[in-house]
Amino acid sequence: MVFCYHLTTKFFVSINIKNISAGYGKKMVLSQISFEVSSGETVLLTGGNGSGKSTVLKCIYSLLPLWNGEILFENKRIDTLNPSDLIRLGIVYIPQKNFNFENLSVEENLKIAGNIYSKNERCDRIEDVYQQLGLKALKKRKPFNLSGGEKKLLAFGMGLIHKPKLILFDEPLAGIDNNNTDKILAIFNSIINDPCLAMIIVEHKDAVRDIFNRKIKIELGRIVN
Ligand SMILES: Nc1ncnc2c1ncn2[C@@H]1O[C@H](COP(=O)(O)OP(=O)(O)OP(=O)(O)O)[C@@H](O)[C@H]1O
Ligand SMILES: [Mg+2]
């Protein structure tokens, strides 16, 4: 049984994005974005190309500084932290474009993702990821020999190795065929009922319709619903 102290609070707010604005150079892209996501909840960010969805995730993961506003995780301010601090808090980000080391094997990529843990713990966590994602058969393969769907699974595994409390996943189904879409949806279905886990997913494909609890639409960098 998974122990979850959050269960003691019925609506435990995992992340609270408060009135954030941000942009690139002098160009403002996000304007006064506010929303909360509670543990046990999956929120879908929707909106057209260039509306600012990926930018929201980058701000949460401290890849882009805020111009205004603040972000709280479990009631503590996190917008001044860096990504490695955020991983330790249980926040993982899986970017829109696959991020893995092309010249290293699947296992080596997982080892690098898990290098903050002791050797034994890292081995256990990698085994868990293999079980969860069915990646073991690919462990010696290098990403340049993997299909797009397999690379996506590896990127997912590099996040899941941290047993996250908050997953930020940018377009999990982009470039994925029906088989791998079903596989990724099955993994989501196996984790979405975890009361300790919150997810923010950006996705254009309708196939995610059964996994989110709430939808937030962004247009021109503002929430419109
Ligand atoms: N690194 C960057 N430098 C400058 N402008 C950027 C950068 N990244 C994104 N932008 C701009 O910020 C705006 C929002 O981009 P963002 O990537 O957040 O959109 P998106 O909603 O994720 O779109 P898509 O659905 O196409 O992925 C766009 O106008 C984009 O051109
Ligand atoms: Mg995007």
Side-chain angles (χ1 to χ4, degrees), residues 15 26 29 37-38 64-65 67 80 88 106 122 129 139 212:
I15 186 136
K26 290 186 177 161
V29 169
V37 184
S38 298
L64 199 62
W67 292 7
T80 50
R88 285 185 172 82
V106 164
R122 190 173 64 180
V129 168
K139 72 181 201 176
F212 62 86

Side-chain angles (χ1 to χ4, degrees), residues 53-111:
K53 306 176 300 294
S54 296
T55 304
V56 170
L57 298 192
K58 287 181 201 166
C59 285
I60 297 172
Y61 203 61
S62 286
L63 296 174
L64 199 62
L66 302 184
W67 292 7
N68 265 307
E70 57 185 31
I71 301 177
L72 308 181
F73 178 68
E74 295 180 341
N75 294 322
K76 292 195 187 83
R77 208 163 160 185
I78 56 163
D79 50 273
T80 50
L81 302 180
N82 60 43
S84 55
D85 295 327
L86 298 178
I87 284 177
R88 285 185 172 82
L89 290 179
I91 301 174
V92 301
Y93 166 64
I94 304 160
Q96 188 168 351
K97 295 208 174 88
N98 285 327
F99 174 75
N100 38 49
F101 300 97
E102 290 284 312
N103 288 318
L104 300 179
S105 67
V106 164
E107 180 140 302
E108 287 162 341
N109 269 279
L110 290 170
K111 280 183 176 168

Side-chain angles (χ1 to χ4, degrees), residues 145-208:
N145 288 326
L146 297 178
S147 73
E150 290 164 343
K151 277 192 201 184
K152 192 69 90 176
L153 285 176
L154 172 58
F156 203 172
M158 290 168 79
L160 288 178
I161 197 169
H162 300 293
K163 304 185 194 292
K165 295 182 195 168
L166 173 65
I167 298 177
L168 312 168
F169 207 150
D170 201 343
E171 301 206 25
L173 304 181
I176 302 292
D177 68 13
N178 289 343
N179 274 345
N180 277 304
T181 293
D182 289 346
K183 198 166 178 181
I184 287 178
L185 290 176
I187 296 159
F188 278 135
N189 275 315
S190 71
I191 60 178
I192 50 174
N193 293 322
D194 179 348
C196 307
L197 176 68
M199 283 203 282
I200 304 175
I201 295 178
V202 171
E203 184 54 65
H204 292 285
K205 287 190 179 170
D206 207 29
V208 289

Side-chain angles (χ1 to χ4, degrees), residues 201-219:
I201 295 178
V202 171
E203 184 54 65
H204 292 285
K205 287 190 179 170
D206 207 29
V208 289
R209 64 186 168 277
D210 294 329
I211 62 163
F212 62 86
N213 311 94
R214 200 152 49 87
K215 189 153 80 169
I216 292 173
K217 187 169 184 191
I218 297 183
E219 272 176 19

